[in-house]
């Protein structure tokens, strides 16, 4: 069984440290923290910047630090730091942490909420291929640092606050207590430490392969009954949070398509397999990260650890399901992967909402697998009736090229109703 074609996914080291807090700057993900959050005059705080390279190219990163020159009352503020600009290199796919000491000096006065702004810029020698999904990927089973150092990093409060909605200027804050400590002197130096490199990928793969059988066993519990309702709630929340609140019928449909993908869809539909899916590889790496997650509630497992991977697979499966039933060119595999990544990029916070992301192919595919993914006591007619209602309400939003998506959905609704009539499923 361990001879299956298993390409390990690059892990989300940043997310394992910050709990998911991140800013995506296209091909680089970052998170900024400060520790401690309260200090004295002449005592340092430390900026902690996590850098996660998302592509297979080396990256030169330039970090600029801006400290305040006066406080809220207009009194002078002096901050000592190693350099105002720091340049460092990241290898392909590397994750690391940059620590920068900052020391308040006299005549700075005590106060709260002193801001520090950190600008992050990068460049690569040539365009890179993405090696991590936009959500970051599965948690890491191997790191270049000890578990003690990992816990120290996790104790740092990280934030994703940007300055004036900029995507590459982060802001953090600290307080200064009313006490002046002796100036102990010493050189202030920035420190960079690598947390994960491409060299760890082989070990990551071996650890994941060792959990394949466990993942197979766990996956049998990802049934419609266990995961549909948690997925539906998560889909409603995630789409609304990104500026695209869903009609109840739309949320039901997308949840059914993702449920079908995790339950039996990859086995029933031609040209797909569980072992090749993003969600199964993610599950293997999740279990390699923490074997206790095997006992996690299956709905929580699906929504907390497998959601983004399952959504990617559901988009790919949805294209496969609707392709024989529509007369439109849906693109080749490469184009479908690019589209799926665009949807996940939007879900992760990049780009504007687009109604197409809900309908093509997730809602369309759900119409065709409606009965197969249905969870009793829900009647499969209910989803189709609610989708008709949603489509009437959305009609004015389908303009330009999106009219094609509207017409495809309307045609598939006719087909979906005919499929239920042929199966002699009565309306509620």
């Amino acid at each position: 069984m361990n001879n299956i074609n298993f390409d390990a996914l690059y892990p989300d080291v940043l997310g394992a440290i910050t709990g998911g807090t991140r800013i995506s700057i296209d091909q680089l993900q970052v998170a900024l923290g400060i520790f401690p959050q309260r200090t004295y005059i002449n005592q340092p705080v430390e900026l902690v910047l996590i850098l996660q390279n998302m592509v297979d190219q080396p990256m030169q990163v330039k970090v600029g630090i801006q400290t305040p020159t006066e406080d809220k009352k207009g009194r002078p503020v002096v901050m000592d730091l190693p350099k105002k600009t720091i340049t460092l290199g990241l290898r392909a796919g590397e994750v690391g942490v940059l620590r920068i000491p900052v020391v308040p000096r006299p005549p700075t006065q005590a106060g709260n909420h002193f801001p520090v702004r950190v600008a992050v810029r990068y460049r690569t020698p040539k365009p890179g291929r993405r090696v991590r999904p936009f959500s970051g990927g599965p948690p890491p089973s191997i790191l270049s640092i000890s578990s003690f150092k990992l816990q120290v990093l996790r104790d740092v409060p990280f934030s994703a606050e940007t300055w004036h909605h900029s995507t590459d200027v982060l802001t953090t804050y600290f307080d200064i207590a009313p006490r002046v400590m002796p100036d102990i002197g010493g050189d202030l130096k920035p420190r960079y430490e690598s947390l994960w490199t491409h060299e760890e990928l082989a070990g990551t793969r071996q650890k994941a392969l060792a959990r394949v059988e466990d993942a197979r066993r766990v996956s049998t519990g990802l049934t419609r009954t266990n995961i549909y309702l948690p997925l539906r709630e998560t889909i409603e929340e995630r789409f609304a949070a990104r500026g695209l609140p869903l009609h109840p019928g739309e949320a039901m449909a997308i949840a059914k398509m993702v449920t079908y993908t995790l339950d039996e869809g990859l086995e029933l539909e031609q040209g797909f397999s569980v072992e090749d899916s993003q969600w199964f590889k993610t599950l293997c790496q999740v279990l390699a990260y923490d074997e206790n997650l095997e006992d996690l509630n299956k709905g929580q497992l699906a929504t907390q650890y497998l959601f983004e991977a399952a959504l990617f697979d559901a988009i790919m499966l949805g294209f496969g399901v609707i392709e024989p039933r529509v007369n439109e060119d849906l693109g080749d595999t490469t184009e479908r992967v690019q589209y799926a990544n665009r949807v996940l990029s939007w879900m992760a916070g990049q780009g504007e909402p687009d109604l197409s992301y809900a309908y093509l192919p997730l809602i369309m595919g759900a119409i065709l697998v409606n009965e197969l993914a249905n969870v009793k006591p829900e009647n499969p007619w209910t989803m189709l009736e609610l989708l008709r209602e949603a489509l009437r309400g959305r009609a004015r939003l389908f303009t330009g090229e999106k009219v094609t998506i509207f017409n495809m959905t309307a045609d598939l609704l006719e087909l979906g109703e005919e499929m239920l009539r042929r199966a002699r499923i009565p309306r509620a």
Side-chain angles (χ1 to χ4, degrees):
M1 193 63 63
N2 288 0
N3 291 326
I4 67 171
N5 181 24
F6 192 102
D7 295 324
L9 305 171
Y10 281 57
D12 182 18
V13 179
L14 183 151
I17 293 169
T18 70
T21 299
R22 74 188 76 221
I23 292 290
S24 292
I25 311 172
D26 195 14
Q27 298 180 340
L28 177 67
Q29 289 188 338
V30 299
L32 178 65
I34 195 164
F35 190 84
Q37 291 185 293
R38 184 176 176 85
T39 189
Y40 303 102
I41 302 296
N42 292 327
Q43 291 292 301
V45 294
E46 195 170 60
L47 296 173
V48 183
L49 184 67
I50 308 292
L51 302 161
Q52 182 158 272
N53 187 348
M54 304 294 283
V55 295
D56 65 347
Q57 291 294 313
M59 184 177 286
Q60 186 184 69
V61 179
K62 184 174 288 188
V63 179
I65 304 101
Q66 183 182 24
T67 54
T69 56
E70 60 181 36
D71 63 18
K72 297 173 185 176
K73 297 181 179 179
R75 297 173 300 191
V77 170
V78 176
M79 299 279 182
D80 200 1
L81 63 158
K83 297 178 181 178
K84 289 195 173 181
T85 302
I86 298 166
T87 302
L88 56 93
L90 292 179
R91 287 170 282 179
E94 182 177 1
V95 187
V97 56
L98 177 64
R99 294 180 175 87
I100 307 163
V102 177
V103 184
R105 303 290 194 191
T108 307
Q109 299 295 304
N112 297 325
H113 226 51
F114 287 87
V116 180
R117 296 192 184 100
V118 177
V120 183
R121 310 280 193 274
Y122 76 89
R123 59 186 176 92
T124 56
K126 59 181 180 179
R129 178 182 64 87
R130 186 169 289 274
V131 293
R132 284 186 171 88
F134 289 93
S135 60
S141 57
I142 297 176
L143 285 173
S144 303
I145 59 171
S146 68
S147 56
F148 172 76
K149 284 188 175 182
L150 176 62
Q151 187 56 52
V152 169
L153 284 173
R154 283 175 170 163
D155 289 340
V156 175
F158 288 93
S159 68
E161 182 178 340
T162 56
W163 183 59
H164 288 182
H165 305 290
S166 168
T167 58
D168 54 8
V169 181
L170 289 78
T171 304
T172 188
Y173 303 89
F174 71 99
D175 302 335
I176 301 175
R179 185 177 177 185
V180 178
M181 302 295 286
D183 184 359
I184 58 174
D187 292 335
L188 297 178
K189 293 182 179 179
R191 294 180 294 130
Y192 175 78
E193 185 173 16
S194 182
L195 304 176
W196 193 93
T197 65
H198 179 79
E199 284 73 22
E200 269 78 56
L201 193 62
T204 299
R205 179 178 183 274
Q206 289 304 314
K207 282 181 172 286
L209 275 172
R211 301 312 301 266
V212 165
E213 289 303 322
D214 298 323
R216 285 183 177 279
R217 184 175 64 257
V218 171
S219 68
T220 61
L222 298 172
T223 63
R224 286 172 281 174
T225 306
N226 291 336
I227 65 176
Y228 170 69
L229 287 178
L231 281 171
R232 181 174 164 182
E233 292 175 2
T234 297
I235 284 163
E236 289 173 342
E237 292 169 1
R238 296 287 293 271
F239 274 76
R242 291 295 297 122
L244 188 59
L246 297 172
H247 184 282
E250 295 167 340
M252 290 170 66
I254 297 173
K256 281 191 175 184
M257 194 65 228
V258 179
T259 297
Y260 184 62
T261 303
L262 285 167
D263 186 2
E264 55 184 359
L266 297 174
E267 297 170 340
L268 295 179
E269 302 296 335
Q270 188 173 359
F272 295 90
S273 73
V274 171
E275 288 85 359
D276 290 334
S277 69
Q278 293 277 341
W279 75 255
F280 185 77
K281 294 175 183 177
T282 298
L283 178 57
C284 292
Q285 290 181 232
V286 164
L287 296 180
Y289 167 72
D290 184 353
E291 61 183 22
N292 294 321
L293 293 175
E294 183 175 334
D295 301 321
L296 193 66
N297 172 278
K298 297 303 181 285
Q300 188 178 352
L301 181 66
T303 56
Q304 187 172 335
Y305 290 95
L306 305 180
F307 180 74
E308 286 83 4
L311 189 65
F312 175 91
D313 293 326
I315 292 170
M316 299 302 292
L317 184 62
F319 277 123
V321 166
I322 70 174
E323 185 173 36
R325 305 287 192 165
V326 298
N327 295 320
E328 298 292 331
D329 180 10
L330 299 177
D332 59 21
T333 300
T334 300
E335 291 169 318
R336 294 177 188 183
V337 167
Q338 290 172 345
Y339 176 80
N341 281 331
R342 191 158 68 246
V343 176
L344 288 171
S345 172
W346 165 74
M347 186 68 74
Q350 292 184 313
E352 297 300 316
D354 188 328
L355 195 56
S356 304
Y357 296 159
Y359 277 82
L360 179 68
L362 293 168
I363 290 173
M364 294 182 188
I367 293 170
L368 299 180
V369 303
N370 183 22
E371 183 187 354
L372 291 171
N374 194 64
V375 179
K376 294 180 179 181
E378 191 175 285
N379 187 305
W381 281 98
T382 302
M383 186 191 84
L384 299 186
E385 290 163 358
L386 288 172
L387 278 179
R388 280 209 174 278
E389 182 182 308
L391 211 56
R392 284 194 296 270
R394 298 284 197 188
R396 62 184 179 81
L397 301 177
F398 286 98
T399 58
E401 294 180 355
K402 292 186 176 64
V403 171
T404 301
I405 294 176
F406 179 90
N407 293 334
M408 289 169 63
T409 306
D411 291 343
L412 288 172
L413 272 173
E414 295 281 353
L415 178 58
E417 291 172 348
E418 179 61 27
M419 290 170 70
L420 294 187
R421 282 192 288 268
R422 288 178 186 171
R424 299 183 183 276
I425 296 175
R427 295 177 183 265

